[in-house]
């Protein structure tokens, strides 16, 4: 019985850690957001919902941001999105 309880608690704690890791927020510098809002870039079509964490396919060209190697951007479905250029995951949908 003790082994069952210990296993259940261990499973619960490990799943809780995964959930916590997925809810981490990224604080984007204001100059990055300002730069992206000023750019005139064509919009690309993307099937599906564009949300934080969504990985963009290799066919979507990510634009670089000067002096900001940790951030890129692209306009997808008429929405400007900040992207992690290493993982291609959406960091923020800029409003």
């Amino acid at each position: 019985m003790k082994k069952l309880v210990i296993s259940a608690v261990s499973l619960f704690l490990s799943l809780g850690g995964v959930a916590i890791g997925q809810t981490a927020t990224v604080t984007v510098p204001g100059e990055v957001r300002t730069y992206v809002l000023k750019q005139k870039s064509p919009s690309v079509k993307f099937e599906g919902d564009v949300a934080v964490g969504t990985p963009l396919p290799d066919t979507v060209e990510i634009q670089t941001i000067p002096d900001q190697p940790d951030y890129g951007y692209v306009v997808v479905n008429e929405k400007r999105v900040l992207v992690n250029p290493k993982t291609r995951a959406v960091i923020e949908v800029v409003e």
Side-chain angles (χ1 to χ4, degrees):
M1 183 67 174
K2 276 186 175 181
K3 286 185 179 182
L4 180 61
V5 171
I6 291 171
S7 295
V9 169
S10 177
L11 177 64
F12 175 76
L13 291 175
S14 67
L15 290 176
V18 170
I20 290 170
Q22 292 175 346
T23 60
T25 58
V26 175
T27 303
V28 178
E31 61 268 16
V32 169
R33 194 174 287 106
T34 301
Y35 178 85
V36 170
L37 288 171
K38 289 181 179 180
Q39 301 310 302
K40 304 271 189 244
S41 299
S43 182
V44 297
K45 292 283 186 190
F46 178 75
E47 292 296 323
D49 191 30
V50 178
V52 173
T54 302
L56 298 177
D58 292 337
T59 56
V60 174
E61 183 180 351
I62 297 172
Q63 304 298 316
T64 59
I65 300 173
D67 301 322
Q68 297 290 338
D70 295 333
Y71 303 98
Y73 77 95
V74 64
V75 180
V76 181
N77 299 344
E78 305 298 328
K79 295 179 183 177
R80 295 177 186 276
V81 296
L82 294 174
V83 180
N84 178 326
K86 295 176 186 127
T87 64
R88 303 187 64 81
V90 173
I91 298 171
E92 179 181 327
V93 178
V94 180
E95 302 289 336

